[in-house]
Amino acid sequence: MARIEDRLKGYVFTVQEFARLCAIAIAGIFRKPTYVQETFYYMDQIGVGSLFILILTGLFTGMVLTLQGAIQLQPYGAVPYVSRLISTSVVRELGPVLAALMIAGRVGSGIASELASMQVTEQIDALRAEGTDPIKKLVTTRLLATLLMVPVLTVITNGIAIFGGYVIARFYLSIDSFFYWTWAFEALRPMDLVYGLIKPVVFGFIICMVGCYAGLNTEGGTVGVGRSKTQAMVTSSILILMSDFFMTKLFIFLG
Amino acid sequence: MIDFRHVSLRFDEGLVLTDMSFTVVPGETLVILGPSGCGKTTILRLLLGLIHPESGSIVIDGRDIVGLREREMGQVRRTMALVFQGAALFDSLTVRENVGYRLWEEGLQTDEFIDQRVDESLRFVGLHDVSEHMPAELSGGMKKRVAIARALASTPRVILYDEPTAGLDPINTHIINELICRLHTKEAVTQVVVTHDIDTAYRVANHLIMLHRGEKIFDGTVEELKASDDLHVRAFLSPGGVLSTPRCFPTKDGGYQVIDD
Ligand SMILES: Nc1ncnc2c1ncn2[C@@H]1O[C@H](COP(=O)(O)OP(=O)(O)OP(=O)(O)O)[C@@H](O)[C@H]1O
Ligand SMILES: [Mg+2]
């Protein structure tokens, strides 16, 4: 019993500390000094660095979705309308979630292990000793960069996925190009685009903050670095999927 | 003026510092001696507010830093510099950027001034020709010397050294010792030097304290230390005399025990 209680206390403490880190990091956005150069550097790292894997992710997701969708629509003779299925499911769900999961794997775990190694080699303490606020310098800059880049990357992934669907629709299912694109856009409501952009902002926040929290709270030398990295990836992936469910629920409610 | 008053600190495993008190007068060089694991590094981390004590107060220039918030603490820290035991250089920056870090960050000086200051500091430790290297390309002793240069570059009023000469060859040890002496005589910098190298201690100290198991067992000058007849002090200064007993082994916190089967 005491063990369970300790564990619960541990969870509550973690949530509290996590919230505190988030609050300080966000407050850092509005305080001097602004590390503009660092922020651009991380934007480049996150954005350009993830582009290639996201193009592949989008392309193959779109293609496989078209293949599967066509099989389901076949009995109703609705195969030509497959693009409706592609564009809505990609923009509403698959694009943001898959992009976020890939970015969590590449960027989130990178952030965690980088900060973790800085922690175990006392570089974070060295920053503090130099009078620098490590949260502002290391967390806020990365947070800004992820908040800006994840939506951009998601839009690119969405575009590529719909294009991937087009390739299969055009050359394998022989659907007319004009027909495909017309219905792809017809099916989307303006709100879908708005919601489709809110999600990646939330996911970006999760990816960065979970990675930073795991990294900064590393204990136990190099073993701890590996642990933090894994922990960051697993936690942010789960949080992404969970928050996606609740956001979808909310957006359906809002219409 | 640094005043450590009745400071106690505990980690999971037990008390690391027990009711520790000492004073560092401005301009003096205090040497903290003591066996491995007795809490020397912990004292330096407390002085910079990197960790907080469980009880007691730490007063720096009339201001109690215990319980200060990080932002206020940042201002206090900028008047001090710490040479970390493991150097703790920033991996992603070159040697030059490491040394000039604080000056660039503060942004109060011109680039030429900072460049000059960085060169000067690196020259002190004999490393001006590796200024474009990354820390990963340096040897352990070189990293240590870069860390010393980093501490010097911003001309702080207080410098804390954590084992500045551990892992250095005799020539560099001598240079560092002379540097500490010169900062004392010429620039009246307040310095706290943690070491277990007795020669360094004798060379640079105005004031010595010695720790044992988180407690202060000696406070005084070099002459007084040499004359002390405390058992632990004697064991530290001439281990041969005490540890020559057969089956005598050191313990984790710097003591020794005799094991008979
Ligand atoms: N973060 C920590 N968590 C738990 N225990 C710690 C921590 N840091 C230090 N200790 C313990 O505190 C004691 C003092 O450590 P400290 O690093 O101050 O020793 P030291 O005097 O600097 O030793 P050395 O000369 O070997 O560097 C040690 O027994 C160590 O096990
Ligand atoms: Mg130490």
Side-chain angles (χ1 to χ4, degrees), chain A residues 34-87:
Chain A
T34 38
Y35 295 104
V36 179
Q37 222 178 333
E38 267 97 342
T39 309
F40 277 117
Y41 172 77
Y42 293 130
M43 281 172 70
D44 179 57
Q45 281 242 305
I46 295 166
V48 180
S50 312
L51 202 55
F52 184 65
I53 53 166
L54 287 179
I55 287 176
L56 289 181
T57 307
L59 191 66
F60 283 95
T61 307
M63 295 201 306
V64 81
L65 204 60
T66 312
L67 287 181
Q68 291 287 6
I71 294 173
Q72 295 306 314
L73 296 175
Q74 183 88 56
Y76 312 102
V79 175
Y81 294 97
V82 73
S83 65
R84 286 186 66 106
L85 189 93
I86 310 291
S87 68

Side-chain angles (χ1 to χ4, degrees), chain B residues 34 36 40-41 44 83-85 144 148 161-168 193-197:
Chain B
S36 173
K40 305 183 296 295
T41 300
L44 297 187
V83 180
F84 282 79
Q85 191 165 5
K144 200 67 194 248
I148 292 171
Y161 305 84
D162 200 345
E163 318 230 354
T165 57
L168 295 190
V193 184
V194 159
T195 184
H196 33 221
D197 178 25

Side-chain angles (χ1 to χ4, degrees), chain B residues 11-13 16 35-42 85 163 196 252:
Chain B
F11 286 122
D12 308 333
E13 296 139 41
V16 172
S36 173
C38 68
K40 305 183 296 295
T41 300
T42 307
Q85 191 165 5
E163 318 230 354
H196 33 221
K252 143 185 164 239

Side-chain angles (χ1 to χ4, degrees), chain B residues 117-173:
Chain B
R117 188 71 205 136
V118 169
D119 281 339
E120 219 171 86
S121 308
L122 280 172
R123 214 171 283 275
F124 276 141
V125 296
L127 289 177
H128 48 279
D129 48 354
V130 298
S131 64
E132 298 309 325
H133 286 45
M134 298 306 279
E137 299 167 318
L138 305 179
S139 76
M142 285 158 101
K143 283 184 194 159
K144 200 67 194 248
R145 284 147 70 197
V146 173
I148 292 171
R150 178 170 71 180
L152 298 178
S154 58
T155 47
R157 286 189 294 116
V158 179
I159 307 183
L160 316 173
Y161 305 84
D162 200 345
E163 318 230 354
T165 57
L168 295 190
D169 55 86
I171 295 172
N172 275 302
T173 303

Side-chain angles (χ1 to χ4, degrees), chain B residues 189-225:
Chain B
V189 179
T190 310
Q191 301 177 95
V192 178
V193 184
V194 159
T195 184
H196 33 221
D197 178 25
I198 301 180
D199 293 333
T200 298
Y202 287 170
R203 179 78 189 88
V204 304
N206 309 124
H207 178 188
L208 274 157
I209 63 174
M210 187 158 159
L211 310 186
H212 183 77
R213 300 195 178 185
E215 282 180 70
K216 189 172 77 173
I217 56 168
F218 175 84
D219 192 333
T221 61
V222 174
E223 279 65 41
E224 285 165 354
L225 182 79

Side-chain angles (χ1 to χ4, degrees), chain A residues 4 23 120 143 160 183 188:
Chain A
I4 298 176
V120 299
L143 180 63
I160 299 280
W183 281 108
L188 290 173

Side-chain angles (χ1 to χ4, degrees), chain A:
Chain A
M1 215 34 220
R3 264 208 50 233
I4 298 176
E5 206 178 301
D6 278 353
R7 264 209 126 134
L8 279 177
K9 269 189 202 148
Y11 285 134
V12 173
F13 180 74
T14 306
V15 171
Q16 237 174 36
E17 286 295 292
F18 180 73
R20 215 170 69 92
L21 180 68
C22 293
I24 300 175
I26 293 170
I29 298 177
F30 308 102
R31 263 215 311 270
K32 293 206 162 195
T34 38
Y35 295 104
V36 179
Q37 222 178 333
E38 267 97 342
T39 309
F40 277 117
Y41 172 77
Y42 293 130
M43 281 172 70
D44 179 57
Q45 281 242 305
I46 295 166
V48 180
S50 312
L51 202 55
F52 184 65
I53 53 166
L54 287 179
I55 287 176
L56 289 181
T57 307
L59 191 66
F60 283 95
T61 307
M63 295 201 306
V64 81
L65 204 60
T66 312
L67 287 181
Q68 291 287 6
I71 294 173
Q72 295 306 314
L73 296 175
Q74 183 88 56
Y76 312 102
V79 175
Y81 294 97
V82 73
S83 65
R84 286 186 66 106
L85 189 93
I86 310 291
S87 68
T88 49
S89 50
V90 162
V91 171
R92 285 182 198 159
E93 295 295 341
L94 286 175
V97 171
L98 286 178
L101 291 177
M102 296 307 284
I103 297 172
R106 193 185 161 276
V107 176
S109 67
I111 289 177
S113 50
E114 205 175 318
L115 295 196
S117 356
M118 288 187 78
Q119 175 69 39
V120 299
T121 54
E122 292 190 300
Q123 289 179 58
I124 308 260
D125 283 333
L127 275 178
R128 292 169 69 202
E130 296 293 328
T132 303
D133 175 358
I135 297 181
K136 177 122 190 40
K137 180 152 182 110
L138 303 174
V139 181
T140 302
T141 46
R142 285 177 168 86
L143 180 63
L144 272 178
T146 23
L147 286 183
L148 290 170
M149 292 319 285
V150 176
V152 173
L153 290 169
T154 301
V155 169
I156 294 174
T157 312
N158 289 346
I160 299 280
I162 298 175
F163 173 77
Y166 166 73
V167 171
I168 295 295
R170 176 75 189 76
F171 298 105
Y172 180 71
L173 304 171
S174 313
I175 296 169
D176 179 57
S177 304
F178 182 72
F179 195 82
Y180 179 92
W181 289 108
T182 310
W183 281 108
F185 287 111
E186 195 76 8
L188 290 173
R189 302 165 310 150
M191 279 326 263
D192 284 335
L193 301 179
V194 177
Y195 295 154
L197 277 179
I198 293 177
K199 280 185 179 181
V201 173
V202 174
F203 296 157
F205 185 83
I206 292 173
I207 292 169
C208 177
M209 292 314 300
V210 169
C212 289
Y213 182 82
L216 290 178
N217 286 283
T218 304
E219 278 170 2
T222 33
V223 184
V225 176
R227 211 166 28 216
S228 291
K229 180 176 165 169
T230 317
Q231 193 199 350
M233 238 188 90
V234 173
T235 311
S236 53
S237 302
I238 289 177
L239 284 181
I240 285 167
L241 293 172
M242 278 168 53
S243 63
D244 181 56
F245 171 79
F246 289 110
M247 277 191 281
T248 301
K249 192 99 174 62
L250 178 72
F251 295 157
I252 290 173
F253 174 75
L254 293 176

